[in-house]
Amino acid sequence: MNKICSYGVLICFIQSFNIYGQDINTILDAYSTKKVDYLEKTWCHEGYWGEAKEKKDNRFNEAILIYSLKENFDNDYYKLRIRKAIFFSIRHLQDSITGGFYENNRPNHVRTSLFLNAIATVISKHPEIYENLEVQSSIHRAVKFISTPQEFSSNHNLAALMSLSKLHEVTCDNVFADLLKEYREVIIKDFIFDQDYKSGYWPEAPKRWKNRLNVPYLLVQLMFVQQYLQTNKKEDEKIDKLYKAQLRKLSSLVNYKNFTLDVRQSYGKFKNKDIKFIKFSVPSIFFNSSMIDRIPLDNRKEFLLKCLERFDNDIKKYPALLNSDLYYRFLIINK
């Protein structure tokens, strides 16, 4: 049995600064509370939220991460929800052959990493959960599923880096440490610098492609690196340097007046539809870097509220986003 070596308290909200009398914590606390209230209405006593069972989609049970942030140590209410959801996912939403967790009835690399990160976060508060042999077996089968770094899908690799780091932090199991090292080497090697060597990006396309920049994925990648650096910043200056280089790249592509992202350099469907800018709805990137200074003080509250509004609109189209993206888009902090 592995000894739990870190209890790690996960701080819930973005670093506070005042905007028109309301700080970021206050706004996001109210917003996340409202979202959890809504999630409560979608809870099924069998152990899942929303359409997880119907669609065989474990994204809905990634809500355990949100619940772990709201949990009160003196109240078992959220803890019982979380435990029940973990076991439902293990028994019904994890592929028995590959060990991957499902997205729309198919084992998925990113979803597996994100659920592992969520479970590890729960273990940091309740280390006894990892003592359960069924949970241990599930985690190790899932880690085996993500054991091979992807050839060019950097968001997959960064999600794995994040989850493996958290798993090692809370369990001290060298199996996770060894694989973490392998992913880290690939991630550092794959980074593409611009000519100035001050900015750059992680690619999301094969090496044979002339253009390997998928601009929207910069946001996805940075959310995962942001979480990783929360506990590894001092120990991993190399990744921190690359993170900042990609932030510079992203910063150059943001319109700070209307909060949109320039995709004219991006490969993908944008050129076919003559789309030049897309909506921005990931404020966690900004509130953890000097990029916030680029947003005029008078526009900061508008920026945050606009992002919340856009996320609400996205949820209407894709309900699983509420369960899976709320933390990564809004509630990450760096220390």
Side-chain angles (χ1 to χ4, degrees):
M1 190 71 64
N2 289 314
K3 182 181 179 181
I4 305 301
C5 68
S6 174
Y7 289 79
V9 178
L10 183 63
I11 301 175
C12 307
F13 301 109
I14 293 170
Q15 290 172 324
S16 173
F17 62 86
N18 195 274
I19 42 177
Y20 299 113
Q22 286 183 300
D23 64 26
I24 294 298
N25 289 4
T26 302
I27 293 174
L28 288 179
D29 194 20
Y31 183 75
S32 63
T33 297
K34 184 184 296 185
K35 293 306 178 188
V36 171
D37 290 344
Y38 178 78
L39 284 174
E40 276 291 285
K41 297 176 183 178
T42 73
W43 171 255
C44 176
H45 66 89
E46 290 182 56
Y48 64 89
W49 289 274
E51 301 171 290
K53 182 179 181 180
E54 176 188 348
K55 293 187 175 180
K56 294 203 77 171
D57 194 330
N58 198 54
R59 286 180 298 175
F60 291 93
N61 270 8
E62 288 176 31
I64 64 173
L65 185 55
I66 304 301
Y67 270 64
S68 73
L69 300 184
K70 306 297 289 186
E71 181 186 351
N72 186 321
F73 279 94
D74 298 322
N75 188 332
D76 285 338
Y77 180 80
Y78 291 115
K79 181 180 177 181
L80 291 173
R81 286 274 200 272
I82 292 167
R83 290 179 66 93
K84 204 166 188 178
I86 288 174
F87 283 104
F88 183 89
S89 292
I90 289 172
R91 294 165 183 171
H92 302 284
L93 301 174
Q94 183 175 21
D95 188 63
S96 60
I97 298 173
T98 66
F101 285 96
Y102 291 135
E103 178 180 338
N104 288 325
N105 201 25
R106 295 182 62 182
N108 181 278
H109 195 281
V110 170
R111 294 347 297 186
T112 300
S113 291
L114 297 192
F115 198 61
L116 286 171
N117 183 59
I119 292 177
T121 300
V122 173
I123 292 172
S124 72
K125 288 185 174 184
H126 303 289
E128 73 279 1
I129 292 175
Y130 191 65
E131 296 175 7
N132 182 284
L133 294 179
E134 186 176 5
V135 173
Q136 279 195 39
S137 174
S138 168
I139 289 174
H140 282 273
R141 287 187 295 114
V143 167
K144 186 176 180 180
F145 175 69
I146 64 168
S147 62
T148 303
Q150 302 296 290
E151 184 180 358
F152 54 79
S153 298
S154 296
N155 65 316
H156 288 65
N157 293 337
L158 290 165
L161 181 83
M162 172 187 69
S163 64
L164 291 166
S165 173
K166 190 67 179 178
L167 283 169
H168 181 250
E169 177 196 352
V170 300
T171 68
C172 291
D173 191 327
N174 285 332
V175 171
F176 306 134
D178 293 342
L179 188 53
L180 174 64
K181 181 179 179 181
E182 182 179 349
Y183 265 98
R184 183 180 176 277
E185 290 173 353
V186 169
I187 286 166
I188 291 173
K189 176 174 166 287
D190 282 351
F191 194 83
I192 298 175
F193 278 102
D194 293 333
Q195 290 183 348
D196 60 6
Y197 281 91
K198 294 180 180 180
S199 62
Y201 62 94
W202 278 289
E204 292 290 342
K207 291 182 180 179
R208 67 179 183 275
W209 285 27
K210 184 178 180 180
N211 183 7
R212 306 178 69 197
L213 174 63
N214 190 317
V215 171
Y217 273 107
L218 298 185
L219 298 170
V220 178
Q221 295 166 5
L222 288 174
M223 286 188 286
F224 300 157
V225 185
Q226 208 169 13
Q227 171 73 90
Y228 168 75
L229 289 174
Q230 191 169 330
T231 54
N232 293 279
K233 191 168 186 178
K234 292 182 180 178
E235 292 78 16
D236 201 336
E237 294 180 358
K238 182 65 174 179
I239 295 291
D240 186 45
K241 178 182 177 181
L242 298 180
Y243 169 76
K244 289 174 180 175
Q246 184 154 305
L247 277 173
R248 294 187 193 99
K249 180 73 171 182
L250 178 70
S251 180
S252 69
L253 298 172
V254 173
N255 183 316
Y256 292 89
K257 293 183 179 180
N258 58 18
F259 318 123
T260 57
L261 192 61
D262 187 339
V263 294
R264 287 176 292 184
Q265 297 179 36
S266 180
Y267 77 79
K269 59 186 178 181
F270 309 112
K271 292 183 179 179
N272 295 337
K273 296 184 178 181
D274 198 30
I275 298 174
K276 298 180 180 179
F277 299 91
I278 61 173
K279 295 176 180 179
F280 196 105
S281 60
V282 187
S284 62
I285 298 300
F286 282 82
F287 299 133
N288 290 276
S289 75
S290 59
M291 291 173 70
I292 190 66
D293 295 332
R294 292 181 175 237
I295 305 176
L297 185 61
D298 292 346
N299 290 352
R300 291 181 184 178
K301 182 177 181 180
E302 180 187 359
F303 168 76
L304 176 61
L305 296 179
K306 181 65 71 174
C307 286
L308 296 176
E309 177 189 346
R310 290 170 176 175
F311 184 57
D312 284 337
N313 290 334
D314 289 342
I315 291 169
K316 292 175 184 177
K317 297 178 183 178
Y318 310 104
L321 290 179
L322 171 58
N323 305 60
S324 62
D325 279 27
L326 179 61
Y327 171 77
Y328 295 103
R329 292 201 197 191
F330 300 104
L331 303 179
I332 302 176
I333 68 165
N334 274 331
K335 295 189 70 178

